[in-house]
Amino acid sequence: MSDHHPHSEDHFEASELVRDVVIGMADGLTVPFALAAGISGAAVAVSTVVTAGVAEIAAGAIAMGLGGYLAARSSADHYGAELAREEFEILEKPEAEAAEVAEIFEHYGLKPEHYAGVIAGLRERPIAWRDFMMRFELGLERPNPTQAQRSAITIGASYVVGGSIPLAPYVVLHSVNQALPWSAAVTLLALGLFGYGKARFSGAPPLRSALQTMAIGGMAASVAFLLARAIS
Amino acid sequence: MSDHHPHSEDHFEASELVRDVVIGMADGLTVPFALAAGISGAAVAVSTVVTAGVAEIAAGAIAMGLGGYLAARSSADHYGAELAREEFEILEKPEAEAAEVAEIFEHYGLKPEHYAGVIAGLRERPIAWRDFMMRFELGLERPNPTQAQRSAITIGASYVVGGSIPLAPYVVLHSVNQALPWSAAVTLLALGLFGYGKARFSGAPPLRSALQTMAIGGMAASVAFLLARAIS
């Protein structure tokens, strides 16, 4: 264990990228796999499975990618609105704002004798005061302006990559009965590797992560298969 | 504008619930709609659309619900691991930890004369010091222990509710050509209402939010439709 924590900002961009790949690929592996397995249970032609799979991958990639874009944009908007409000309050109502700083420290059992210096220092530094309130009162991090576009592309592309794995056997093989076990095998393998690799970033136990990821995919596919067979 | 910010903790549970409904319903409305439209473009029987739609809704609800559950659980694990590390460092390396507190305040241009009192106060309160570091060094909120299960159920159920809207016309009507325009109409209406309502919580302009949500769904469905028609 080092004496020093890794600073969150250093790893900010890498962890955002990993998070987006995880978001896109987890769903991309699971849902198209389960959909293909599900309609395989309804005894349709292999071409129908491929068509439905491609439609699902396109729809899912766009919905998740644009969803990620809008989520990132809306948190940037939210940050901007709160920043303006903090600026207004520091300029127009400094006493109320100083009381809010006091409240933050009182929460940790500190007394005016401990935190009076911080309030005095912030009063002389309005910009730093605003940034201090954003972080310590509201818990908001300054968003990265290009993050929204990058998020959209990463999530969408990861969904397409993930989704093409379960669909590949239906493209290559000529019957649903042949393709389904291959699709299950390659997808469960990919889910296991993905869960294992993901654990390296999250710090979770790798084997547990691999088994969990495989269990989600397997359960989603089994339920979809049984439901589709029941209603068809 | 009130003198006082709403405290994030007060609205914590409500905002988690809204966030989970938004996550589940946004995808639930969009992806099954686009999938149904997509395979409608491949001239299949209406029963195939229903089967594929039900399979997709089941798969998506399970994948997203369990995904939400595991994400919440893994952030609770992460919090626990960091908490243990902070406790260790405060007990074993208080000087290094005090330097980290100083670093936090130096970041806002404050000097030892301003923050020395805070460090002195925290040294006398090791538990408060630990919690202070969790929040102000690492930016981590204490996770709610029942949040993970609630998240899973809310996201999954919202996905099913959202997904049943575009699928309903295919269940009621007897041809794909009749059902597709009705599915598009009710889904775009639902997406618009959903985007409008969502904006009340996020603070975004409601009309823009409604149009954005409709545009994502429409775009995902159009691309899925054209791709499915092209390959079938």
Side-chain angles (χ1 to χ4, degrees):
Chain A
M1 193 179 293
S2 82
D3 270 3
H4 210 76
H5 289 294
H7 275 263
S8 55
E9 287 92 32
D10 297 351
H11 296 291
F12 184 72
E13 300 210 352
S15 72
E16 298 273 324
L17 179 71
V18 170
R19 191 204 59 190
D20 289 341
V21 169
V22 165
I23 290 173
M25 200 165 278
D27 271 32
L29 277 167
T30 307
V31 182
F33 166 50
L35 171 72
I39 51 180
S40 297
V44 295
V46 74
S47 65
T48 306
V49 179
V50 173
T51 302
V54 169
E56 207 287 332
I57 292 170
I62 293 170
M64 288 197 82
L66 280 179
Y69 173 76
L70 292 177
R73 261 254 310 253
S74 105
S75 68
D77 288 351
H78 179 61
Y79 187 90
E82 292 289 347
L83 197 74
R85 184 155 95 162
E86 287 299 339
E87 276 177 7
F88 172 85
E89 295 189 349
I90 283 165
L91 293 176
E92 302 296 326
K93 303 167 179 174
E95 295 314 316
E97 207 63 10
E100 288 183 1
V101 178
E103 216 177 284
I104 293 170
F105 289 109
E106 298 274 355
H107 184 70
Y108 295 92
L110 299 179
K111 306 285 167 216
E113 71 208 66
H114 300 119
Y115 59 74
V118 170
I119 292 179
L122 290 174
R123 278 183 189 275
E124 291 162 18
R125 296 163 178 79
I127 304 266
W129 193 1
R130 176 198 71 186
D131 294 342
F132 182 89
M133 299 310 280
M134 293 301 287
R135 180 87 168 79
F136 296 131
E137 188 199 12
L138 302 175
L140 296 174
E141 303 272 358
R142 185 182 293 279
N144 182 326
T146 56
Q147 181 56 35
Q149 287 95 312
R150 259 210 316 267
S151 255
I153 293 167
T154 308
I155 293 175
S158 303
Y159 195 90
V160 172
V161 170
S164 64
I165 293 171
L167 214 58
Y170 293 94
V171 175
V172 175
L173 300 171
H174 297 293
S175 100
V176 168
N177 290 339
Q178 277 184 303
L180 178 57
W182 278 103
S183 175
V186 296
T187 305
L188 286 174
L189 182 66
L191 283 166
L193 290 173
F194 170 73
Y196 195 93
K198 190 179 72 168
R200 290 204 40 177
F201 291 97
S202 71
L207 204 64
R208 193 178 80 182
S209 173
L211 291 174
Q212 273 180 348
T213 318
M214 291 166 78
I216 295 181
M219 195 183 303
S222 305
V223 173
F225 181 86
L226 294 172
L227 261 179
R229 172 172 279 182
I231 64 165
S232 70
Chain B
M1 192 181 293
S2 82
D3 270 4
H4 210 76
H5 290 293
H7 276 264
S8 55
E9 288 91 34
D10 296 350
H11 295 291
F12 183 71
E13 300 209 353
S15 73
E16 298 274 324
L17 180 70
V18 169
R19 192 205 57 189
D20 289 341
V21 169
V22 165
I23 290 173
M25 199 166 279
D27 270 33
L29 278 167
T30 307
V31 181
F33 166 49
L35 171 72
I39 51 180
S40 297
V44 296
V46 73
S47 65
T48 307
V49 178
V50 173
T51 302
V54 169
E56 209 286 334
I57 291 171
I62 292 169
M64 288 197 83
L66 279 181
Y69 173 77
L70 292 178
R73 261 253 311 253
S74 105
S75 69
D77 288 351
H78 178 61
Y79 188 90
E82 292 290 347
L83 196 74
R85 184 155 93 161
E86 288 299 339
E87 275 177 7
F88 172 84
E89 294 189 349
I90 284 166
L91 292 176
E92 302 296 325
K93 302 167 180 175
E95 295 314 315
E97 207 65 9
E100 289 183 1
V101 178
E103 216 177 284
I104 293 170
F105 289 109
E106 299 274 355
H107 183 71
Y108 296 92
L110 299 179
K111 305 287 167 214
E113 69 207 67
H114 301 120
Y115 59 72
V118 171
I119 292 179
L122 290 175
R123 279 183 188 275
E124 292 161 17
R125 296 164 176 80
I127 303 267
W129 193 1
R130 175 198 70 185
D131 294 341
F132 182 90
M133 299 310 280
M134 291 302 287
R135 180 88 166 77
F136 295 131
E137 187 199 12
L138 301 176
L140 295 175
E141 303 272 357
R142 185 182 294 279
N144 182 326
T146 56
Q147 180 57 33
Q149 287 96 311
R150 258 210 317 267
S151 254
I153 294 167
T154 309
I155 293 176
S158 304
Y159 196 91
V160 172
V161 171
S164 63
I165 293 170
L167 213 59
Y170 292 94
V171 175
V172 176
L173 300 171
H174 298 293
S175 101
V176 168
N177 290 339
Q178 278 183 302
L180 177 57
W182 278 103
S183 175
V186 296
T187 306
L188 287 174
L189 182 66
L191 282 167
L193 290 173
F194 170 73
Y196 195 92
K198 190 179 72 169
R200 290 203 42 175
F201 292 97
S202 70
L207 204 63
R208 194 178 81 183
S209 172
L211 291 174
Q212 273 180 348
T213 318
M214 291 166 78
I216 295 181
M219 196 181 302
S222 305
V223 172
F225 181 86
L226 294 173
L227 261 178
R229 173 173 279 182
I231 64 165
S232 70

